[in-house]
Amino acid sequence: MNEVAAALGEGAQEAAIFGRVSAAMTELVGQDDWLPPEFEKPHPEFYQQYLLHRDSQDRFSVVSFVWGPVQKFPIHDHNVWGVIGMLRGSEYAQSYRCAEDGMRPEGLVERLLPGHVEKVSPTIGDIHQVSNAYDDRVSISIHVHGTDIGKRKRHAFDPATGVTKDFVSGYANAPHEAT
Ligand code: FE2
């Protein structure tokens, strides 16, 4: 957390933030022996997002994202920078862009494996769909975002039409706080 806070020094540009936070994330997910059991519990129906740390000034938040078998997140955006590190299992991630007749995939489906680190932001690409790559086991990734992501107003996109629906993700382990 100290490393992320340091990366957010006054006037820090996104590229510099990504450099430092990605390095810290690479170290964090390089070992899978630190996540407390209460932050790794899957839900039988829904992915779970557990708050691990929230900066006192809401400048960033750290979550564990726990996927049950075959669970997926609809196409969505973040509206803020994020660094994702694969801790356990594996995820598929597909980037999208908005087109006149719906959502178009951008590039190939990526498969994240333990130790892999990915980035998202409105400047480098912020819309994607993510799913557990496994149909028989739990996968867990760790996400750092440049705000309290559980409170952020975001969008889910209908794949066929591109129509958006607002959502606020909240946290599985913290009550929703109105903004
Ligand atoms: Fe995402």
Side-chain angles (χ1 to χ4, degrees):
M1 310 312 160
N2 291 341
E3 187 55 35
V4 179
L8 298 177
E10 215 160 293
Q13 299 297 306
E14 185 175 281
I17 293 170
F18 272 146
R20 290 185 73 166
V21 177
S22 296
M25 181 64 84
T26 300
E27 204 169 308
L28 187 65
V29 297
Q31 272 182 223
D32 181 10
D33 60 359
W34 55 268
L35 187 64
E38 63 266 35
F39 302 126
E40 57 179 39
K41 283 190 210 135
H43 182 280
E45 275 181 72
F46 310 107
Y47 59 81
Q48 297 285 276
Q49 180 171 260
Y50 295 100
L51 179 64
L52 303 182
H53 178 78
R54 176 164 44 198
D55 175 59
S56 58
Q57 298 164 58
D58 281 1
R59 294 175 306 164
F60 67 94
S61 55
V62 185
V63 306
S64 62
F65 213 105
V66 181
W67 303 97
V70 306
Q71 288 174 355
K72 65 161 61 174
F73 202 125
I75 302 173
H76 63 278
D77 64 11
H78 311 81
N79 282 328
V80 67
W81 65 262
V83 174
I84 298 132
M86 199 72 222
L87 181 70
R88 188 179 308 169
S90 179
E91 283 178 9
Y92 288 126
Q94 171 71 63
S95 296
Y96 282 87
R97 67 180 168 85
C98 300
E100 278 180 15
D101 55 348
M103 303 305 291
R104 291 270 173 76
E106 282 260 281
L108 300 173
V109 177
E110 283 183 71
R111 180 163 189 169
L112 302 187
L113 296 168
H116 283 178
V117 173
E118 277 292 325
K119 304 184 273 289
V120 291
S121 87
T123 43
I124 64 169
D126 192 43
I127 302 175
H128 66 178
Q129 181 169 43
V130 187
S131 60
N132 190 348
Y134 290 109
D135 61 9
D136 60 355
R137 60 172 146 141
V138 167
S139 292
I140 302 177
S141 52
I142 307 299
H143 302 210
V144 179
H145 286 284
T147 187
D148 181 352
I149 193 67
K151 284 201 303 205
R152 188 63 141 200
K153 286 197 179 101
R154 300 156 66 189
H155 304 99
F157 298 83
D158 183 290
T161 63
V163 169
T164 60
K165 203 164 99 179
D166 294 349
F167 76 98
V168 176
S169 65
Y171 299 109
N173 61 333
H176 175 65
E177 296 166 36
T179 49

